[in-house]
Amino acid sequence: MSEDSKLRIENVTKLYGYGLLGLKKFKALDNISMDIDLTKPRIVVLAGETGSGKTTLLRIIMGMVKPNIGRVFYKGRDIHKLRGSEAKWYRREVQPIFQDPYETFNPLRKIDSYFYDTIRNVVGIKNRGEAEHRIDESLRFVGLSLDRVKGKYPHEFSGGELQRISIARALLTHPKMLLADEPVSMLDATLRVGILNILKNLKEKLNMVIIYVTHDLSTAYYIGDDISIMYRGTLVEYGPISKVYQEPRHPYTYALLESILEPDPSIRERYPAIKPSSIELKEFLIPGCRYANRCPYAKEICWHTLPPPTNVDGVVVRCWKYLDYKQS
């Protein structure tokens, strides 16, 4: 895989302040590394509990947040160093879809104005007829049309329709990658499958790479090709979703999946009972594995040293359990 054909997240760490005046720091993200092949259409899921760092990582990939340590490369270019025409190129190539469709659009602004602004300022199409054709094409991909949205305000649409409109706006630039931050979490269950199917169609028909952030593992399994499990700012397991679901390696992954899967005695025998969670910030401050406080396998090294990524049958896992380690 060449540098020009991948998204490379390299040792990304992000610090945030806490305590009086925020002078103390904790690692909201700690040494995150991951490569995504842009030549293969796929949906990569970032999954984990609220506060695991999923959205922070996504915003770093968007370029909205800059890491304290580490870099993000898209097709060989450091995205946080892009300026001028290169920054505009990245905005065309990589488009976001946000969680709350009602917060995406100004309630006092007509929906079609967002489309015309994107066409003019990002895509660079000035001709009105050509612009309207492009807008209508994007809207029809999600089951709407320009005539349906022209002159209307956000309150005239349902949440599901607004999320489809958000996807259509993102499609205007003909992006190569979409960054979807929990795009169905604010929708009724009856509307979720429709949005998920649109994302699957984007992958299959437009050959897109989609990074899909969620805490809902049932939708993750329905839509995903690969999955990254995050816990307290660390990436604990990453691989094909079928392998991760069928045989979770990291104790946290098992605990997470156990909450949605049918009880299977053959799986349970491999994992002792999980301890209840401690205070979240306390776990962020552990210098080693953040899961050590809850893990039934934790040993001394787990508390002090973050385990390196280890490939186990095609799945990358960060756990001392899978390393041939002998404590001196």
Side-chain angles (χ1 to χ4, degrees), residues 140-209:
R140 288 187 182 279
F141 193 92
V142 300
L144 296 168
S145 66
L146 180 56
D147 289 339
R148 170 78 176 81
V149 307
K150 185 178 287 186
K152 294 185 177 180
Y153 291 91
H155 72 269
E156 298 180 73
F157 300 93
S158 68
E161 287 175 323
L162 282 179
Q163 199 61 291
R164 284 192 281 154
I165 289 169
S166 295
I167 295 171
R169 186 210 55 78
L171 294 180
L172 285 176
T173 67
H174 291 175
K176 301 299 184 294
M177 186 166 70
L178 284 183
L179 306 176
D181 187 8
E182 305 219 37
V184 299
S185 65
M186 302 292 289
L187 304 179
D188 293 339
T190 54
L191 301 174
R192 292 180 182 180
V193 173
I195 299 297
L196 295 175
N197 285 338
I198 288 174
L199 296 178
K200 291 176 77 171
N201 284 337
L202 292 176
K203 179 194 76 171
E204 293 162 5
K205 296 180 180 179
L206 301 183
N207 297 321
M208 277 192 186
V209 172

Side-chain angles (χ1 to χ4, degrees), residues 16 63 73 85 89 145-146 188-189 201 224 230 232 242 298:
Y16 284 121
F73 294 91
S85 61
W89 162 80
S145 66
L146 180 56
D188 293 339
N201 284 337
M230 298 188 67
R232 303 292 191 253
S242 57

Side-chain angles (χ1 to χ4, degrees), residues 33-35 227-229 235-240 243-244 248-250 253 307-319 322:
S33 293
M34 184 170 60
D35 285 354
I227 188 166
S228 299
I229 304 292
L235 185 58
V236 299
E237 190 162 350
Y238 173 54
K243 285 188 175 184
V244 172
R249 273 79 175 174
H250 197 282
T253 306
T310 305
N311 193 308
V312 183
D313 298 326
V315 174
V316 176
V317 59
R318 299 192 78 155
C319 181
Y322 294 94

Side-chain angles (χ1 to χ4, degrees), residues 271-307:
Y271 293 89
I274 303 299
K275 300 174 187 176
S277 178
S278 65
I279 298 172
E280 184 176 309
L281 182 58
K282 181 179 177 181
E283 291 183 340
F284 270 107
L285 298 177
I286 295 173
C289 177
R290 307 298 190 273
Y291 199 61
N293 193 53
R294 299 176 62 190
C295 182
Y297 301 103
K299 48 191 175 182
E300 189 64 24
I301 191 172
C302 299
W303 289 92
H304 304 294
T305 307
L306 190 66

